[in-house]
């Protein structure tokens, strides 16, 4: 082998970027191989970063030292808060980014990162021996490595559909690849076909904006990166626009269902449940008279507008009829039709929580290849896989995120414990302790982890430390500032009820009519002016009881996750377990009792028996 690297990352989408950067930033000699250098960081579907649960993960990637949030803050074209009416556990932000600038910035970051080499090429297969991965074959060249991270997205046997037209491609303008599917099949990986899709693009000059609702940006929504005080867009923020489908739209779709690649039987792959095509919406929600459609400008100056909510695999001629039935789009020009793409994905039940394959030491899988959908899901997996590949390459212990400390941990645990039946999308409802996993406290949860791993810069750590010191000092001030019945006249003047015994400023903050600002009007406290610090103080006071309750529940489940199961444990000879439990535990090979208990179909009584057996073995030793 002519050359060697510690880690080789295959692909440079959102998963590949975070994997390659994490490995290189940990000091490993890293190679990132991608089919086209000009497609690094490409946004093949929408131009969005964040949104419900996805915004949480984007901030977690940032808190762990990843790149997505930093690049979003520079390339942002539109931003809004979401989930504002559903409490702090759900609230986050959603941004649009410039589809030209975002990849450009990512390419610049990769090119300037120490220990990272980026190369154009096609990885045909992964080479391995009895002890694990030994290298990859790129074209006719063989390159040695200890660890490989596959982040192939929709490229494995990708097939695009537009009506009855089929094109062998990973996405518009990108060739598919077949070699790695053959390698994975030979290895024993269970491959399945999944499907995703995208919407038509229309010319922004042909939209009648008077017939749409303008949705302005909220520049004070805050940055994605905890390193930044504010957004830093290259150009002024843009609005987006909302319109809706109608009965005419639905009639056009209904009468042309036979032309849809999905409904004509041409597509074998399973589509996303939570981001259905417009055809799917009309069939599955036949009682709805309309569906929302958002018009999102893809770049600051370019003509392309993304028609969010109209993902489709209908023929182009039908797509233009659909578009022109929607208010504001009656005279629109379609620049590119939507299409569906189906591709090979690998069963994530064959992965460890580190995202390393159970079948081959040193092989890691991340992103859409594992059955997920979305840029943020991919980025989170990429970072975890990149860290673990870097650690594996030099014999360091594996690192895991738990579902109790992050949405990324929830996602990975779901993947490797429950598997997927359709493209996985992160939802806040998937997290049992989501009040602990808020968008606003991702730094408190994960930046110390990044510090321990070696992914936290000194600048980030100094900023984080100052913030945490301010929060601690502020809370101490609030908890040690007392109000008594002598302050009742002041409370009445503030529109608040009297108190009968003394209460701290921290307790009074729970009153909706007061909150932090109201308490400060009653008595100057000299608290920090940093909005992020003040937000943490206020949330801590308002939700203290709920947070403590969730922390107790999380501690209980964390104890079960701390009870490891030996890798060679024989479930078939473990007395008392039901046959279904034995079969599932043998097939999935959970690493902890907590993970075993989350496998669908495994009985609680069997988990109690398993704990007894494990403790018996430990006691005997």
């Amino acid at each position: 082998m002519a050359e060697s690297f510690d880690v080789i990352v295959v692909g440079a989408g959102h998963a590949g970027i975070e994997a390659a950067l994490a490995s290189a930033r940990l000091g490993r000699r890293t190679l990132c191989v991608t089919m086209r250098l000009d497609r690094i960081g490409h946004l093949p579907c929408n131009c969005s970063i964040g949104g419900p649960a996805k915004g949480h993960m984007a901030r977690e990637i940032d808190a762990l030292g990843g790149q997505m949030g930093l690049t979003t803050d520079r390339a942002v074209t539109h931003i809004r808060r979401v989930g504002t009416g559903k409490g702090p556990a759900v609230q986050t932000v959603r941004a649009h980014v410039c589809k030209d600038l975002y990849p450009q910035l990512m390419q610049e970051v990769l090119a300037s990162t120490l220990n990272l080499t980026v190369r154009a090429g096609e990885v045909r297969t992964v080479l391995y021996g009895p002890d694990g991965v030994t290298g990859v074959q790129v074209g006719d060249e063989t390159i040695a490595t200890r660890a490989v991270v596959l982040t192939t997205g929709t490229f494995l046997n990708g097939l695009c559909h537009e009506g009855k037209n089929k094109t062998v491609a990973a996405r518009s303008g990108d060739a598919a690849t077949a070699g790695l599917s053959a390698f994975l099949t030979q290895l024993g990986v269970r491959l399945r076909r999944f499907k995703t899709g995208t919407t038509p693009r229309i010319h922004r000059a042909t939209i009648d904006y008077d017939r749409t609702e303008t949705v302005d940006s909220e520049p004070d929504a805050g940055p994605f990166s905890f390193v930044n005080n504010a957004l830093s867009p290259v150009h002024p923020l843009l609005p987006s626009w909302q319109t809706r489908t109608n009965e005419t739209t639905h009639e056009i779709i209904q009468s042309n269902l036979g032309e849809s690649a999905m409904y004509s039987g041409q597509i074998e792959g399973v589509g996303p449940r939570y981001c259905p095509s417009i055809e799917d919406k009309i069939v599955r929600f036949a009682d709805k008279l309309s569906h929302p459609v958002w018009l999102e400008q893809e770049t600051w100056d370019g003509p392309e507008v993304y028609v969010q909510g109209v993902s489709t695999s209908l023929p182009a001629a039908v797509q233009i009829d659909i578009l022109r039935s929607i208010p504001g789009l009656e005279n629109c020009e379609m620049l590119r039709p939507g299409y569906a793409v189906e591709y090979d994905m690998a069963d994530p039940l064959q992965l460890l929580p580190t995202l390393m394959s159970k079948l081959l030491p040193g092989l890691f899988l991340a992103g859409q290849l594992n059955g997920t959908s979305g840029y943020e899901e991919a980025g989170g997996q990429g970072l975890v896989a990149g860290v673990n590949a870097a650690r594996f390459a030099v014999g360091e212990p594996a690192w895991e995120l738990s579902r109790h400390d992050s949405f990324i941990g929830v996602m990975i645990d779901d993947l490797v414990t429950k598997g997927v039946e359709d493209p996985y999308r992160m939802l806040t409802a998937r997290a049992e302790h989501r009040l602990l996993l808020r968008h606003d406290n991702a730094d408190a949860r994960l930046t110390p982890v990044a510090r321990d791993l070696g992914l936290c810069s000194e600048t980030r750590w100094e900023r984080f430390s100052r913030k945490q010191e301010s929060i601690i000092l502020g809370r101490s001030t609030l908890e040690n500032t007392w109000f008594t019945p002598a302050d009742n006249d002041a409370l009445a003047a503030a529109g608040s009820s009297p108190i009968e015994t003394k209460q701290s400023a921290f307790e009074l903050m729970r009153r909706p009519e007061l909150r932090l600002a109201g308490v400060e009007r009653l008595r100057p406290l000299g608290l920090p002016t940093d909005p992020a610090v003040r937000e943490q103080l206020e949330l801590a006071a308002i939700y203290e009881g709920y947070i403590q309750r969730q922390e107790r529940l999380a501690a209980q489940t964390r104890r079960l996750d701390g009870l490891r199961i030996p890798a060679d444990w024989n479930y078939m000879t473990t007395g008392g377990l039901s046959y279904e439990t034995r079969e599932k535990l043998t097939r999935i090979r959970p690493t902890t009792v907590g993970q075993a208990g989350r496998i669908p179909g495994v009985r609680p009584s069997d988990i109690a028996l398993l704990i007894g057996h494990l403790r018996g073995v430990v006691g005997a030793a």
Side-chain angles (χ1 to χ4, degrees):
M1 297 187 184
E3 58 180 334
S4 66
F5 290 85
D6 296 319
V7 175
I8 295 178
V9 177
V10 182
H14 301 277
I17 286 171
E18 300 296 350
L21 289 175
S23 174
R25 287 167 174 170
L26 290 176
R28 308 299 178 263
R29 190 162 178 261
T30 305
L31 172 66
C32 180
V33 183
T34 186
M35 301 272 277
R36 288 175 52 182
L37 298 179
D38 64 330
R39 297 290 240 186
I40 292 172
H42 181 53
L43 300 139
C45 189
N46 61 39
C47 52
S48 298
I49 301 292
K54 294 169 175 286
H56 294 69
M57 286 194 293
R59 294 210 102 195
E60 289 176 353
I61 291 168
D62 179 75
L64 285 165
Q67 190 61 37
M68 179 177 280
L70 288 163
T71 301
T72 298
D73 286 349
R74 287 289 290 148
V76 60
T77 62
H78 176 90
I79 190 165
R80 285 184 66 82
R81 299 177 182 89
V82 295
T84 53
K86 298 183 179 180
V90 177
Q91 293 170 18
T92 185
V93 293
R94 180 176 185 263
H96 304 157
V97 294
C98 175
K99 294 187 79 167
D100 291 340
L101 182 59
Y102 187 93
Q104 176 189 325
L105 293 174
M106 284 301 196
Q107 290 162 30
E108 291 172 0
V109 170
L110 266 62
S112 63
T113 298
L114 293 176
N115 306 312
L116 178 58
T117 301
V118 182
R119 186 175 301 172
E122 180 180 352
V123 174
R124 294 184 176 179
T125 192
V126 176
L127 308 174
Y128 59 97
D131 297 325
V133 167
T134 60
V136 299
Q137 184 177 346
V138 183
D140 296 326
E141 180 185 8
T142 300
I143 306 173
T145 190
R146 286 287 316 280
V148 170
V149 184
L150 296 183
T151 67
T152 51
T154 61
F155 277 71
L156 298 191
N157 286 320
L159 183 63
C160 293
H161 299 263
E162 180 200 316
K164 295 182 180 178
N165 296 327
K166 299 181 184 180
T167 305
V168 177
R171 59 197 182 200
S172 178
D174 287 300
T177 183
L180 287 172
S181 283
F183 153 70
L184 291 170
T185 300
Q186 180 186 40
L187 188 64
V189 173
R190 295 186 290 270
L191 295 182
R192 294 162 57 195
R193 297 289 278 177
F194 270 9
K195 167 258 177 188
T196 188
T198 188
T199 75
R201 271 61 158 186
I202 60 177
H203 199 298
R204 65 187 177 112
T206 62
I207 298 170
D208 182 355
Y209 296 99
D210 290 337
R211 289 178 55 76
T212 68
E213 177 187 347
T214 300
V215 183
D216 290 321
S217 283
E218 297 176 352
D220 60 344
F224 270 90
S225 177
F226 288 99
V227 171
N228 295 328
N229 291 322
L231 299 168
S232 54
V234 174
H235 298 292
L237 294 175
L238 301 170
S240 61
W241 301 268
Q242 186 177 10
T243 180
R244 300 189 71 86
T245 63
N246 50 55
E247 291 185 18
T248 301
T249 312
H250 299 187
E251 288 170 4
I252 294 169
I253 296 168
Q254 191 72 46
S255 61
N256 286 280
L257 279 178
E259 298 296 314
S260 164
M262 185 160 184
Y263 280 89
S264 63
Q266 290 190 107
I267 293 179
E268 300 173 5
V270 180
R273 178 183 309 179
Y274 297 104
C275 188
S277 67
I278 190 67
E279 299 99 293
D280 238 1
K281 291 178 185 177
I282 301 311
V283 173
R284 288 165 53 186
F285 309 108
D287 58 320
K288 289 190 175 292
L289 299 180
S290 69
H291 294 279
V293 174
W294 289 269
L295 308 176
E296 302 169 354
Q297 199 165 314
E298 293 197 323
T299 62
W300 273 291
D301 300 317
E304 289 198 340
V305 170
Y306 184 90
V307 188
Q308 177 75 267
V310 190
S311 175
T312 182
S313 61
L314 284 160
V318 178
Q319 292 187 39
I320 192 64
D321 289 342
I322 291 170
L323 292 171
R324 290 178 176 171
S325 71
I326 298 172
L329 308 186
E330 292 88 348
N331 299 303
C332 72
E333 174 190 347
M334 186 170 69
L335 298 175
R336 192 178 82 190
Y339 60 91
V341 56
E342 55 180 333
Y343 54 93
D344 290 344
M345 56 77 61
D347 187 350
L349 290 176
Q350 294 179 294
L351 298 175
L352 295 168
T354 61
L355 297 181
M356 187 169 78
S357 172
K358 296 175 181 178
L359 304 174
L360 180 60
L363 177 67
F364 296 81
L365 279 63
Q368 215 159 350
L369 176 60
N370 290 339
T372 59
S373 65
Y375 305 147
E376 304 82 2
E377 289 90 342
Q381 291 174 70
L383 191 147
V384 171
V387 168
N388 279 305
R391 294 171 74 89
F392 179 88
V394 295
E396 292 181 352
W399 167 66
E400 297 178 14
L401 276 174
S402 81
R403 64 187 302 120
H404 316 300
D405 55 30
S406 65
F407 272 92
I408 297 173
V410 171
M411 169 182 63
I412 291 175
D413 185 67
D414 282 349
L415 293 174
V416 304
T417 303
K418 303 173 184 176
V420 291
E421 297 301 322
D422 50 67
Y424 180 97
R425 178 178 179 177
M426 192 69 241
L427 306 169
T428 53
R430 296 188 191 273
E432 301 90 339
H433 313 300
R434 58 183 176 272
L435 189 56
L436 305 180
L437 308 182
R438 302 188 310 275
H439 154 102
D440 59 86
N441 71 354
D443 58 339
R445 292 183 279 117
L446 298 174
T447 296
V449 176
R451 177 78 165 180
D452 291 341
L453 289 172
L455 288 176
C456 180
S457 68
E458 285 304 316
T459 300
R460 182 183 291 274
W461 184 250
E462 290 171 7
R463 182 181 176 88
F464 170 77
S465 298
R466 287 196 303 270
K467 177 181 174 183
Q468 296 309 306
E469 288 169 5
S470 294
I471 292 170
I472 292 169
L473 180 61
R475 179 158 181 166
S476 177
T477 298
L478 289 163
E479 289 179 332
N480 290 285
T481 298
W482 296 97
F483 290 80
T484 68
D487 297 296
N488 281 340
D489 288 344
L491 286 169
S496 194
S497 58
I499 55 177
E500 297 181 1
T501 59
K502 72 173 185 177
Q503 288 189 20
S504 70
F506 191 73
E507 293 171 307
L508 283 178
M509 281 168 57
R510 295 175 187 144
R511 297 187 174 193
E513 70 277 8
L514 292 179
R515 298 300 191 228
L516 179 53
V519 169
E520 285 185 305
R521 283 192 293 270
L522 292 173
R523 188 175 303 172
L525 300 173
L527 294 175
T529 58
D530 182 349
V533 171
R534 296 173 68 83
E535 178 185 39
Q536 293 306 299
L537 292 173
E538 194 161 86
L539 289 173
I542 296 169
Y543 295 98
E544 183 181 35
Y546 299 101
I547 290 171
Q548 289 177 347
R549 186 183 309 163
Q550 289 207 355
E551 284 174 341
R552 288 193 295 270
L553 293 172
Q556 293 172 8
T557 53
R558 195 176 287 115
R559 284 194 290 272
L560 293 179
D561 279 328
L563 188 54
R564 310 291 296 190
I565 303 174
D568 59 352
W569 187 269
N570 190 337
Y571 297 102
M572 289 302 179
T573 61
T574 303
L577 301 184
S578 68
Y579 178 80
E580 181 183 10
T581 292
R582 290 177 177 178
E583 185 275 328
K584 289 189 173 183
L585 294 179
T586 299
R587 177 166 55 89
I588 296 174
R589 307 299 309 177
T591 59
T592 71
V593 170
Q595 184 188 358
R598 291 188 291 272
I599 296 173
V602 172
R603 303 174 185 174
S605 58
D606 285 337
I607 294 299
L609 280 169
L610 178 60
I611 292 172
H613 283 293
L614 289 168
R615 287 178 173 165
V617 169
V618 171

